[in-house]
Amino acid sequence: MYFSSFTALLVCAGAAVGSPVQKREYKYALKEEHFAPHGWTDVGPAPGNHLLNLEIGLKQSQFDELERHLYEGKLYHYPIDLRPATDPAAVSDPDHHRYGQHLGVAEVENLIKPSDEALDLVHEWLADHGISSDRLGYTPAKDWVRLTIPVSEAERLLDTKYSIFLHNDGDYLVRTPKWSLPQHLHSHIDAIQPTNSFFRPMARSKDLKTVKPLADFTPGDFQVPAQNLNTLSNPTVATACNASAVTPLCLRTLYKTLDYKPKAAGKNKVALTNYLSETNNRSDVRIFLERYRPDAVPAASSFKIQVVNGGDNQQTPNTPAQLAAGKDLEGNLDAETILGISYPTPLQAYNTGGMPPFKPDAGNPTDTNEPYLVWQQYILAQKNIPQVVSNSYGDSEQTVPPSYAKRVCEGFAQLGARGVSVFFASGDSGVGEEGFCVTNDGKNSSTFLSEFPTGCPYITSVGATQKFNPEIVALDTRNGFVSGGGFARYFKRPAYQDGVVPAYVKSLKGQFKGLFNANGRAYPDIAAQGEHFVTIWNGTVVLLDGTSASTPTASAVFTLVNDALIAAGKPPLGFLNPWLYKKGFKALNDITSGSAAGCGTKGFPAQKGYDAVTGFGTPDFKKLVASALESYGGYTGYQGGLNGGKE
């Protein structure tokens, strides 16, 4: 049955669709070519009637100005004629008296809207291909134009041919390695998808069940802390923490949030993202909080789940197939970790659909788009956004073309400009999973594998640690987990890293030369515990490793830092990195042991100061609050809304 339906699609791939008469001739030129990544095979032409949800990314007219605001002390609001963009003294200066005055949604949209000329030319081009304006949709700033279009029509529009690609794991996508545009549109259109992006956001967690079935574990395999640990008087790291099973009490004690009482809950919020049909099972979250954070039990019912673009929010028991696939392991880990640390700060989950794989079935002809773009477009259209967003997903940078990566990254810059701290996991395979460390340029040259979106310069990347006195780089030989680290190839090193990253590269003394981009954006920026997290899933305890654990941990700690700031009448931190690299790093615990092993090498080593495996280290909440308050000085203009600026 399955083979016959797939064969039927291949047979009908050449089905003709009437071609509209074009009003003018266009001279096309190649816009972008991107090889299919390792593991994908072209298995035949795409059917002409297969529908694509096409997204056309128009050039944002003043993104450079938005970036300037973002880096100049995170929105200092310098009058444009007062200080030029090239003034190095203005970059990332948390000492400026206007530090922290973030932009509102209307201000951001004004900076990123395309020019009238770009819109007119794109509308003209579409109309000449028979695509009327009533078929189009737009983001609020009109920097993305949306339309649903059959493959046959997209092939004419983009002067290309789509194919069905099969991955080694059985997933299918409809994509084209290269696409073209009329020459006069090259300067007005940045990206169009789905075309040549093979990105699939993978959850950054390694389940210890992959070592052996949970039923085969014996009591000696790991000691799960008992609920009565919550009644410990004056807990210390030694009494609260167990390296074989990490709980909220351990994390709150280790990172010094245990005795902090949030004061701005409601004005302050935190969010997490779910993709790949993940959600946060309320029943499991309740069991977890009953055992490990009893005062937070009400949050199991009260935290909000926003379904975006058909995302999953199944709260009924998993089916046997879903259990076998580990559905909601990631979602539960994220929600339980954040609520276990940052309660009573309200938690918002965004469950986003729109992710391939495309299943070649004639009854399901529509291919959806990558979820980061779908989620970004949704969240950026909202007036109020939680001040911290935790993201535990990513994939190899090579799976996305540069144009798409750039536009998604710029979407995160918009969030930062509005006062949102965006955290991403740095990856779970060190500098790359052995056996896959080759370039995606047709040459198959040896390389370390950069990760995306964690290599985007507008987010804060989080690595993972293990053990406690001292913490070291996370490594679990039982399931191959190693905290990820490295250097982006698509994104150059941002100015805020210039003071530390060149020295780190120099300290390598030429080791790994040619395997990484020494001038690229280095990651991670910080780290947190990421191994053996106690998680309730399907009503039982499982242990999870991954930067999927360290990312919600760091997000929760910085959520409480924002709480302290807002309670003191200060703005939230927003985009962390300019402050982090100038002042905030002093409030982190330096990690000096371990490395981002991978690709058959030891990978980038941890060392004193900044390194490309743990960044500046793990959080010390009390020091972070003191540093953040000091950075804002006497500024008390924050009025307590979720995001600043003019709406």
Side-chain angles (χ1 to χ4, degrees):
M1 177 73 73
Y2 180 80
F3 175 79
S4 62
S5 65
F6 178 52
T7 303
L9 276 184
L10 291 178
V11 169
C12 73
V17 176
S19 176
V21 177
Q22 296 185 18
K23 295 181 179 180
R24 52 181 62 80
E25 293 293 327
Y26 289 103
K27 186 175 182 180
Y28 275 74
L30 181 67
K31 174 64 174 178
E32 187 174 51
E33 183 173 12
H34 186 70
F35 285 84
H38 179 84
W40 290 97
T41 302
D42 184 337
V43 294
N49 64 347
H50 172 70
L51 297 178
L52 300 170
N53 291 329
L54 210 63
E55 300 268 1
I56 303 174
L58 276 61
K59 182 176 177 59
Q60 298 168 337
S61 59
Q62 298 184 76
F63 180 81
D64 289 346
E65 183 64 20
L66 182 142
E67 183 184 49
R68 182 172 75 89
H69 280 297
L70 184 67
Y71 282 158
E72 289 181 354
K74 300 181 308 188
L75 296 311
Y76 292 150
H77 284 195
Y78 294 126
I80 292 175
D81 61 348
L82 253 183
R83 198 176 274 215
T86 55
D87 183 354
V91 175
S92 309
D93 184 2
D95 296 323
H96 195 278
H97 70 283
R98 300 299 299 277
Y99 173 70
Q101 296 188 23
H102 309 296
L103 296 181
V105 58
E107 294 170 307
V108 170
E109 288 175 0
N110 187 58
L111 290 173
I112 64 165
K113 66 181 181 181
S115 67
D116 291 340
E117 179 188 16
L119 274 171
D120 290 344
L121 290 173
V122 168
H123 287 154
E124 179 182 78
W125 169 58
L126 294 174
D128 283 350
H129 282 78
I131 301 170
S132 58
S133 59
D134 59 357
R135 292 175 59 184
L136 306 180
Y138 304 88
T139 53
K142 292 191 173 181
D143 58 324
W144 285 96
V145 179
R146 310 182 186 116
L147 67 152
T148 300
I149 187 172
V151 162
S152 58
E153 200 170 343
E155 289 179 339
R156 289 192 298 272
L157 189 68
L158 304 177
D159 190 25
T160 189
K161 291 293 182 183
Y162 278 83
S163 295
I164 297 174
F165 287 85
L166 171 65
H167 193 268
N168 291 343
D169 62 13
D171 286 350
Y172 289 91
L173 286 176
V174 171
R175 293 293 186 266
T176 176
K178 58 183 178 181
W179 53 282
S180 300
L181 284 174
Q183 289 182 341
H184 73 288
L185 292 180
H186 278 227
S187 61
H188 297 294
I189 294 177
D190 288 335
I192 297 180
Q193 291 299 336
T195 51
N196 51 5
S197 174
F198 291 78
F199 176 75
R200 299 185 302 167
M202 303 299 179
R204 293 314 195 189
S205 59
K206 297 281 189 178
D207 179 18
L208 288 188
K209 285 169 61 182
T210 61
V211 179
K212 57 182 177 180
L214 184 64
D216 293 344
F217 276 105
T218 65
D221 285 324
F222 57 84
Q223 297 296 320
V224 178
Q227 179 180 355
N228 61 16
L229 277 181
N230 292 296
T231 64
L232 281 175
S233 178
N234 299 317
T236 64
V237 172
T239 58
C241 290
N242 180 339
S244 64
V246 175
T247 67
L249 179 64
C250 170
L251 296 170
R252 295 168 70 205
T253 304
L254 179 66
Y255 296 137
K256 303 180 182 178
T257 69
L258 185 63
D259 59 356
Y260 180 75
K261 306 297 182 185
K263 307 174 186 66
K267 294 180 180 179
N268 186 38
K269 292 185 178 182
V270 58
L272 62 85
T273 57
N274 289 311
Y275 304 103
L276 304 173
S277 298
E278 286 283 302
T279 190
N280 319 102
N281 185 277
R282 293 186 186 275
S283 176
D284 285 339
V285 173
R286 176 175 293 276
I287 295 171
F288 178 86
L289 295 175
E290 286 173 347
R291 294 186 184 183
Y292 304 114
R293 185 76 196 265
D295 63 313
V297 168
S301 301
S302 64
F303 78 89
K304 296 182 179 180
I305 298 177
Q306 177 65 53
V307 174
V308 180
N309 194 42
D312 184 279
N313 188 23
Q314 176 186 326
Q315 294 296 328
T316 55
N318 285 345
T319 66
Q322 290 172 332
L323 290 173
K327 174 175 162 51
D328 299 339
L329 275 169
E330 178 64 55
N332 287 3
L333 169 64
D334 289 350
E336 291 168 9
T337 300
I338 290 174
L339 289 172
I341 297 172
S342 65
Y343 178 81
T345 306
L347 171 63
Q348 172 75 66
Y350 296 101
N351 296 8
T352 304
M355 177 59 204
F358 157 68
K359 294 298 183 185
D361 185 328
N364 181 26
T366 302
D367 198 12
T368 51
N369 214 329
E370 283 85 351
Y372 284 148
L373 183 58
V374 174
W375 174 75
Q376 273 190 1
Q377 291 179 355
Y378 172 83
I379 198 71
L380 288 168
Q382 308 307 305
K383 182 176 180 179
N384 293 317
I385 307 173
Q387 294 93 334
V388 167
V389 181
S390 177
N391 299 270
S392 294
Y393 296 81
D395 201 353
S396 169
E397 188 183 67
Q398 293 189 144
T399 64
V400 294
S403 65
Y404 177 78
K406 178 176 180 288
R407 282 303 296 261
V408 170
C409 186
E410 289 175 353
F412 296 130
Q414 294 175 51
L415 288 173
R418 291 178 58 183
V420 179
S421 302
V422 182
F423 294 84
F424 268 96
S426 70
D428 290 354
S429 300
V431 294
E433 186 175 355
E434 194 163 356
F436 297 91
C437 301
V438 294
T439 59
N440 185 41
D441 56 3
K443 300 178 181 178
N444 290 329
S445 303
S446 296
T447 186
F448 287 168
L449 297 178
S450 303
E451 293 285 320
F452 179 79
T454 204
C456 169
Y458 309 124
I459 61 91
T460 299
S461 176
V462 186
T465 59
Q466 67 180 91
K467 300 185 178 179
F468 309 110
N469 287 311
E471 293 182 82
I472 64 173
V473 175
L475 165 69
D476 193 333
T477 57
R478 290 173 293 179
N479 60 10
F481 166 54
V482 186
S483 182
F487 295 76
R489 292 192 178 274
Y490 288 173
F491 303 103
K492 67 180 182 180
R493 183 174 62 244
Y496 60 75
Q497 289 192 322
D498 284 345
V500 293
V501 172
Y504 178 74
V505 172
K506 185 177 180 179
S507 74
L508 298 175
K509 298 180 179 178
Q511 192 177 19
F512 315 129
K513 185 177 181 180
L515 295 177
F516 71 101
N517 176 19
N519 296 312
R521 186 271 206 260
Y523 63 89
D525 303 298
I526 60 174
Q529 285 282 311
E531 190 165 303
H532 299 178
F533 271 47
V534 172
T535 306
I536 298 295
W537 175 73
N538 192 36
T540 62
V541 172
V542 296
L543 299 181
L544 297 177
D545 293 350
T547 48
S548 280
S550 60
T551 302
T553 298
S555 298
V557 172
F558 277 94
T559 292
L560 295 180
V561 175
N562 277 341
D563 181 274
L565 289 171
I566 294 170
K570 314 292 186 182
L573 284 166
F575 177 43
L576 288 178
N577 295 8
W579 166 78
L580 184 68
Y581 279 77
K582 184 167 187 180
K583 286 191 172 183
F585 71 93
K586 299 175 184 177
L588 299 174
N589 306 305
D590 197 10
I591 309 301
T592 60
S593 179
S595 68
C599 295
T601 74
K602 291 184 178 180
F604 298 115
Q607 62 184 38
K608 185 175 177 58
Y610 179 85
D611 57 66
V613 60
T614 61
F616 284 114
T618 61
D620 183 316
F621 172 72
K622 294 181 179 179
K623 290 181 180 179
L624 284 169
V625 170
S627 178
L629 287 171
E630 179 187 13
S631 295
Y632 280 120
Y635 175 70
T636 57
Y638 187 63
Q639 299 300 311
L642 288 185
N643 306 110
K646 299 176 182 178
E647 305 302 334

